[in-house]
Amino acid sequence: MALLRIKNGVEAGTALPLRRGTLRFGRSGANDLKISDPSISGSHCEVTLDETENLLVRDLGSSAGTFIEGQRITEALLIPGQRLRLGGVELVLESTSPRTPSQSAVAPNCETDEDRTHALTPLSETSPRQVSSRCGAAQRVNG
């Protein structure tokens, strides 16, 4: 099972369970997952959980932005352990399922947080089945 855990703000510690498929995040009650923080747009982003518990994150034109590991994104892959920031709210993707090296979207020889951050490449710049990594060869994410 995968979840996003809120790390700061009034909802710090809250776990948001994720299910396979697409979920919408935002401040509005019309979203699948509501986060009541003024820095989050009414419809902020949508996320899609895959079978390996990686999360495709797509910003929906939010005013404060969507960030993975500090890098602003329009669409990118979030893997367990990485930080997602929506406006001023930081979340971390957690997974209770064991992962194998072939399920990792970032090459295992990334040694520092800086390497992992720079290894991110927006999905629009890669094939849909790969994420480019400066720490090693491109890694398959869906099979």
Side-chain angles (χ1 to χ4, degrees):
M1 179 176 129
L3 60 89
L4 283 168
R5 186 170 310 276
I6 300 175
K7 301 305 267 182
N8 65 337
V10 295
E11 296 184 53
T14 301
L16 304 171
L18 303 172
R19 60 172 165 73
R20 291 223 173 94
T22 301
L23 298 169
R24 206 169 264 239
F25 277 79
R27 200 175 60 241
S28 165
N31 292 290
D32 299 302
L33 295 166
K34 179 182 175 186
I35 300 176
S36 299
D37 185 279
S39 69
I40 294 180
S41 295
S43 291
H44 198 98
C45 72
E46 65 181 25
V47 299
T48 304
L49 185 67
D50 72 16
E51 66 278 354
T52 62
E53 296 194 350
N54 292 320
L55 199 63
L56 177 63
V57 181
R58 187 168 64 95
D59 186 79
L60 297 175
S62 65
S63 55
T66 300
F67 300 80
I68 293 179
E69 294 295 319
Q71 181 179 354
R72 190 172 190 146
I73 60 102
T74 53
E75 185 176 80
L77 192 68
L78 181 73
I79 62 171
Q82 287 186 318
R83 295 177 307 241
L84 170 67
R85 183 165 50 88
L86 308 177
V89 177
E90 186 172 294
L91 307 99
V92 173
L93 180 60
E94 298 179 5
S95 173
T96 58
S97 301
R99 295 176 60 81
T100 64
S102 66
Q103 292 174 321
S104 178
V106 175
N109 57 345
C110 289
E111 295 180 8
T112 67
D113 285 340
E114 182 178 351
D115 286 342
R116 284 185 287 277
T117 298
H118 292 295
L120 293 173
T121 299
L123 291 179
S124 59
E125 296 175 16
T126 64
S127 76
R129 299 181 67 70
Q130 294 183 341
V131 174
S132 176
S133 173
R134 117 179 166 175
C135 304
Q139 302 293 308
R140 296 187 73 76
V141 291
N142 287 331

